[in-house]
Amino acid sequence: DTAVSQTPKYLVTQMGNDKSIKCEQNLGHDTMYWYKQDSKKFLKIMFSYNNKELIINETVPNRFSPKSPDKAHLNLHINSLELGDSAVYFCASSQDISWGVFEAFFGQGTRLTVV
Amino acid sequence: TQLLEQSPQFLSIQEGENLTVYCNSSSVFSSLQWYRQEPGEGPVLLVTVVTGGEVKKLKRLTFQFGDARKDSSLHITAAQPGDTGLYLCAGASDSWGKFQFGAGTQVVVTP
């Protein structure tokens, strides 16, 4: 069983289109995240949800809208895609071990290519 | 804004050699994690260190957390080709689990 699964794995689309990436975790974790990994492999947090509530919203264009229908799912919808949105997007989940101690489990990533 | 700096950015060694990767910050972290990422996959957690001065071993990998909890190192003894990958450190410093990642160290071990 895959702990954190995201679909699709690859996504090629034209500029201006709207697309969604889905993520599900079966670990029973309370917190889920979306990260963006650029071509230099830097992982930057975009959003974090805790029990379906948005708790972290980094400086991300409002064309990106996360949605968490329940605590096991966190989807990412992107409007009006731009060339600069091309990257690998990772979903992750975590659970508090103790205060300030977290361990994240990542999905396999979605490679988004905007042409 | 916290920033974790990893060094070196790239490391290429022969099988059997030792290597050390460093992760440094000016901020104090409540915990620090090391991940390894292979091409086409997501990062996989290797270890979490919490206490200043803590040392953890995972087979040939030794992880150390600095006394002040601002830095960490990963040492690999007798590296093998299977150790090839992108090694990422990540620090957590607030109660909502916000991880700050370093830029990563690409390790290549050739037979």
Side-chain angles (χ1 to χ4, degrees), chain A residues 9 33 37 100 102-103 108, chain B residues 30-31 33 37 40-41 48 97:
Chain A
K9 189 168 172 62
Y33 312 80
Q37 189 171 46
F102 316 91
E103 294 180 343
Q108 286 195 310
Chain B
S30 51
S31 66
Q33 295 83 36
Q37 184 179 15
E41 302 290 331
T48 298

Side-chain angles (χ1 to χ4, degrees), chain B residues 16-33:
Chain B
E17 293 181 339
N18 301 333
L19 68 98
T20 302
V21 176
Y22 299 93
C23 177
N24 295 295
S25 174
S26 58
S27 301
V28 176
F29 292 100
S30 51
S31 66
L32 190 140
Q33 295 83 36

Side-chain angles (χ1 to χ4, degrees), chain A residues 9 33 35 37 40-43 45 48 50 55-56 58 90 94 96 99-104 106-108, chain B residues 30-31 33 35 37 40-43 45 47-48 50 86 88 92-99 101-103:
Chain A
K9 189 168 172 62
Y33 312 80
Y35 281 86
Q37 189 171 46
K40 294 185 179 180
K41 303 298 184 185
F42 184 66
L43 266 170
I45 191 167
S48 175
N50 181 270
I55 55 171
I56 294 173
E58 291 294 288
F90 285 99
S94 73
D96 295 11
W99 187 89
V101 183
F102 316 91
E103 294 180 343
F106 285 80
Q108 286 195 310
Chain B
S30 51
S31 66
Q33 295 83 36
Y35 295 80
Q37 184 179 15
E41 302 290 331
L45 179 68
V47 79
T48 298
V50 178
L86 179 70
L88 296 155
S93 62
D94 63 49
S95 60
W96 285 112
K98 179 177 174 179
F99 295 87
F101 275 89

Side-chain angles (χ1 to χ4, degrees), chain A residues 40-104:
Chain A
K40 294 185 179 180
K41 303 298 184 185
F42 184 66
L43 266 170
K44 185 172 181 183
I45 191 167
M46 301 172 68
F47 302 103
S48 175
Y49 272 72
N50 181 270
N51 278 316
K52 301 193 298 176
E53 284 193 30
L54 181 65
I55 55 171
I56 294 173
N57 185 349
E58 291 294 288
T59 307
V60 177
N62 57 15
R63 298 181 294 103
F64 290 78
S65 53
K67 281 192 173 57
S68 182
D70 56 62
K71 75 172 193 178
H73 295 85
L74 180 61
N75 304 323
L76 183 65
H77 187 75
I78 315 169
N79 289 327
S80 303
L81 279 155
E82 300 177 358
L83 292 176
D85 297 333
S86 295
V88 182
Y89 292 84
F90 285 99
C91 176
S93 71
S94 73
Q95 188 75 1
D96 295 11
I97 297 173
S98 60
W99 187 89
V101 183
F102 316 91
E103 294 180 343

